[in-house]
Amino acid sequence: MDYQALANLLFPNVSDTPETLEEKYPLRNVPEGAVITRMAPSPTGFVHLGNLVQGLTSERMAHQSGGVLFLRVEDTDAKREVPGAVEVLINTLKHYGIQFDEGATIDGDAGLYGPYRQRQRAAIYHVYAKKLVSEGQAYPCFCTEEELGAMREKQEANKETTGYYGDYAIWRDRSMEDIQAQLDAGNPWVLRFRSTGSIENQFKFDDLVKGKLTITENNVDHVLLKSDGIPTYHFAHAVDDHLMRTTHVVRGDEWLPTLPFHIQLFKALGFKLPKYVHIGPLMKMDGTSKRKLSKRKDPELALTFYKAEGFPVAAVYEYIMTLLNSNYEDWRRANPTAPATDFAFSPKKLNPAGNLFDYAKLTDVSKNVIAMMDAESVYDLLLEWAKEFDPDFGAKLEADPAYAKAILAIGRGGKKPRKDMAVWTEAKPYMGFFYDEYLQIPVFDEKFSAETVKAALGKFLEKFDISDDSGVWFDKVKAITEELGFTTDMKAYKADPTAFPGTVADVSTFIRQATTGKTNSPDLYTVMQILGYDRTVARIKAVLESL
Ligand code: GLU
């Protein structure tokens, strides 16, 4: 067979050569040891936690080593693509703060190694397809869906491995005349790899996460180009990661079964094999057993979920770091205010079996992250969230930023900052009472008569002076307690609760409920300082009148 003639027949319009492409996309000028890596998601419209895990791993590996992170859009599967998915993908990754140095952007490509959208790279793949054909390493296959289906059925009936290999690879060694006849008839064809591997052979392979693997050679003549001339993932992976000069491929371990083929393909193309970082799946507990997070069953897999729930990006980031590197939490305890990027991330610390996703833990991490923020940052992030998900609340926050920031500053900045919120959805329940429209009517403990509550509130109003410091303020509350015959001696009360109608805590609760509508609130003295004299008095008076 004249393979060069076959190559010319199949790819008459390819004029570029591998050599010109090598020149066009030269080795990158980066320091020794720098990691060049990429995110290569498919635009399905669904961006998930797994994307973020992979993205953060790649981002850390690249930027920690002085390397490059780029975004490549793997849009070869036009059937799966939904309109606007590329924008959703790019915007979501941007929202989560993954900083790409080059690649696909909303406004097109940025960088010298593009195009970064695979459908725009058809001509490049064809250069290498032609080269493989000319060397006898690839061939056209004209099998119809029906023929392939029948083959599969036969293999299943014989309990054989399914696939296009060995004697089943019926177009592997066909004559030029047969091929020409099919082409003349206008029949569609795919390009297949001519595998020289044998399942009898095994070799060792080192994955940066999985460790030493024993790999069995691939013997299947996998498809390289589909009938529309668009490559499969495998072929595009080899060509793109070679020409974009990727040094490390970080991806989900669902690609491990085809790794033998990828290794074979790099070799056949004469490409240097990159290092592989295969990340295990995210799992969750379902009853007493673990299972992979599923798009269908688990809303928490989608990144939009975290945005709507109101998790700050920094909290999701922080949580993923704790998942990926087991020593991250200790580091964080020792460095509570350092940027996460100071941490020495290592792909070797990833759990090869994957990670258990724990919502409660994420919430806990988020509480800490929000507690460490200053009021200004909390305000900005909360406002951004509220504008999209609770516009009425957003408008209130925006109408008086100084007021909102004073509220959000309560309990911040000290050694033990308050941990009131894990998500922005909790902000309104926590601080809504500061806005008159959200103030709720208090329901007092039935243990106390309306007369008692009224007496306490009336006395408070008589004594209340906004210029008191917190010590004097509380002395007044204690004085009211005594006047009502309640006690300020909590020990004595505990020893014999029947001896007193109530305590200073009950009196404080009356005043707190009248002021905030709730039995729980941040420090009441501070609350009154922020509300101011008139509003505090008006609120207490309104409650008095309703009793
Ligand atoms: N498009 C592939 C995916 O979304 C990319 C895998 C890779 O990173 O190579 O799974």
Side-chain angles (χ1 to χ4, degrees):
M1 164 77 95
D2 182 348
Y3 292 127
Q4 188 59 57
L6 179 60
N8 292 339
L9 181 65
L10 296 177
F11 299 101
N13 301 322
V14 169
S15 50
D16 258 342
T17 62
E19 290 70 34
T20 54
L21 292 173
E22 291 293 330
E23 262 169 49
K24 189 166 174 204
Y25 304 108
L27 282 175
R28 291 166 185 268
N29 192 6
V30 288
E32 177 76 25
V35 171
I36 314 295
T37 187
R38 77 300 189 275
M39 264 194 91
S42 303
T44 59
F46 182 69
V47 194
H48 54 84
L49 216 50
N51 292 127
L52 201 56
V53 165
Q54 193 251 320
L56 291 187
T57 305
S58 321
E59 191 279 335
R60 282 296 73 217
M61 288 180 67
H63 293 152
Q64 211 167 257
S65 63
V68 177
L69 175 69
F70 63 87
L71 176 65
R72 179 170 75 225
V73 175
E74 305 221 318
D75 56 0
T76 54
D77 193 351
K79 278 198 289 306
R80 277 176 65 205
E81 189 165 330
V82 294
V86 174
E87 284 70 24
V88 169
L89 180 67
I90 292 175
N91 286 333
T92 310
L93 296 176
K94 193 165 161 201
H95 175 76
Y96 279 94
I98 299 190
Q99 297 292 338
F100 292 104
D101 305 299
E102 62 179 60
T105 76
I106 292 285
D107 309 315
D109 281 348
L112 299 174
Y113 289 80
Y116 296 93
R117 288 169 169 83
Q118 287 183 328
R119 280 221 292 273
Q120 295 173 14
R121 299 175 61 78
I124 296 176
Y125 303 121
H126 290 186
V127 171
Y128 289 95
K130 185 170 189 178
K131 169 186 151 79
L132 289 177
V133 174
S134 73
E135 294 165 347
Q137 297 204 81
Y139 62 90
C141 163
F142 294 88
C143 277
T144 61
E145 283 301 321
E146 292 70 38
E147 282 174 295
L148 293 174
M151 184 185 290
R152 200 174 316 115
E153 272 172 31
K154 188 169 162 201
Q155 289 169 331
E156 277 165 4
N158 293 347
K159 301 216 169 3
E160 292 171 310
T161 312
T162 55
Y164 199 91
Y165 62 91
D167 290 342
Y168 290 107
I170 53 176
W171 278 93
R172 193 170 225 256
D173 294 308
R174 292 287 269 268
S175 67
M176 197 69 152
E177 290 69 46
D178 285 356
I179 293 172
Q180 186 71 62
Q182 294 282 335
L183 290 175
D184 290 345
N187 290 336
W189 54 277
V190 299
L191 189 73
R192 285 189 184 269
F193 182 65
R194 186 192 303 271
S195 175
T196 52
S198 158
I199 52 167
E200 304 297 321
N201 299 338
Q202 294 187 327
F203 60 97
K204 294 265 183 264
F205 184 81
D206 222 350
D207 182 273
L208 260 55
V209 175
K210 303 279 175 185
K212 282 242 173 316
L213 301 171
T214 302
I215 304 228
T216 302
E217 280 183 7
N218 164 58
N219 69 337
V220 176
D221 286 2
H222 286 294
V223 174
L224 300 175
L225 292 179
K226 294 178 268 190
S227 56
D228 55 3
I230 295 294
T232 54
Y233 166 77
H234 320 291
F235 191 43
H237 157 48
V239 171
D240 291 349
D241 282 316
H242 172 70
L243 288 181
M244 294 177 181
R245 307 299 179 182
T246 303
T247 61
H248 290 66
V249 170
V250 180
R251 64 184 182 187
D253 67 359
E254 65 273 18
W255 294 109
L256 268 185
T258 39
L259 178 63
F261 174 44
H262 300 158
I263 296 173
Q264 193 180 24
L265 198 48
F266 271 82
K267 208 163 171 199
L269 286 159
F271 297 162
K272 180 168 185 260
L273 192 67
K275 294 217 178 338
Y276 284 90
V277 180
H278 281 105
I279 302 185
L282 282 173
M283 289 165 292
K284 75 182 277 187
M285 290 309 290
D286 196 348
T288 52
S289 55
K290 275 187 207 171
R291 65 163 172 78
K292 274 192 200 182
L293 278 175
S294 116
K295 180 175 169 181
R296 202 166 40 81
K297 291 192 213 154
D298 307 311
E300 71 267 35
L301 187 57
L303 286 184
T304 43
F305 172 85
Y306 300 92
K307 195 173 178 207
E309 284 283 288
F311 281 102
V313 165
V316 179
Y317 187 102
E318 189 79 3
Y319 174 63
I320 291 185
M321 290 300 272
T322 65
L323 269 188
L324 294 181
N325 272 202
S326 49
N327 54 333
Y328 183 81
E329 273 187 284
D330 286 342
W331 173 85
R332 176 49 88 203
R333 260 189 290 278
N335 304 277
T337 53
T341 45
D342 283 0
F343 172 75
F345 180 87
S346 165
K348 295 222 161 75
K349 290 234 159 58
L350 262 67
N351 185 343
N355 287 296
L356 201 57
F357 175 77
D358 179 352
Y359 189 84
K361 177 80 195 234
L362 166 65
T363 306
D364 217 46
V365 167
S366 191
K367 261 190 190 154
N368 285 326
V369 167
I370 296 179
M372 293 301 290
M373 292 177 180
D374 59 21
E376 194 80 25
S377 311
V378 175
Y379 174 78
D380 291 345
L381 293 172
L382 174 60
L383 178 62
E384 187 189 330
W385 173 84
K387 276 179 159 172
E388 185 170 350
F389 297 100
D390 188 348
D392 186 73
F393 186 34
K396 288 188 170 52
L397 293 170
E398 209 171 15
D400 190 347
Y403 181 63
K405 284 178 201 174
I407 297 168
L408 292 168
I410 301 174
R412 254 170 225 289
K415 266 216 150 29
K416 280 213 158 162
R418 289 183 62 101
K419 296 183 185 176
D420 298 294
M421 290 181 264
V423 285
W424 304 131
T425 43
E426 289 170 357
K428 196 152 85 178
Y430 165 68
M431 62 185 275
F433 69 84
F434 275 103
Y435 298 91
D436 294 339
E437 292 87 338
Y438 298 149
L439 183 64
Q440 288 167 2
I441 297 164
V443 183
F444 294 98
D445 189 337
E446 283 172 2
K447 211 165 75 188
F448 303 104
S449 69
E451 293 320 308
T452 307
V453 176
K454 264 184 169 169
L457 297 179
K459 282 177 190 299
F460 181 78
L461 281 186
E462 276 165 28
K463 295 188 201 303
F464 179 47
D465 182 341
I466 194 80
S467 61
D468 286 343
D469 66 23
S470 63
V472 173
W473 180 89
F474 193 53
D475 284 343
K476 288 182 175 176
V477 177
K478 285 198 273 195
I480 297 167
T481 306
E482 305 281 344
E483 286 168 31
L484 289 172
F486 282 38
T487 184
T488 54
D489 185 345
M490 296 308 284
K491 256 198 199 141
Y493 179 76
K494 266 210 185 106
D496 181 10
T498 58
F500 311 96
T503 70
V504 66
D506 297 314
V507 174
S508 300
T509 302
F510 302 153
I511 305 169
R512 184 186 306 277
Q513 284 187 277
T515 312
T516 69
K518 308 189 322 163
T519 52
N520 269 318
S521 78
D523 176 62
L524 188 54
Y525 172 79
T526 313
V527 168
M528 290 184 178
Q529 290 295 314
I530 295 173
L531 283 173
Y533 181 81
D534 292 344
R535 287 176 72 206
T536 305
V537 169
R539 285 180 174 203
I540 297 176
K541 272 194 178 149
V543 172
L544 265 177
E545 275 158 27
S546 73
L547 285 169

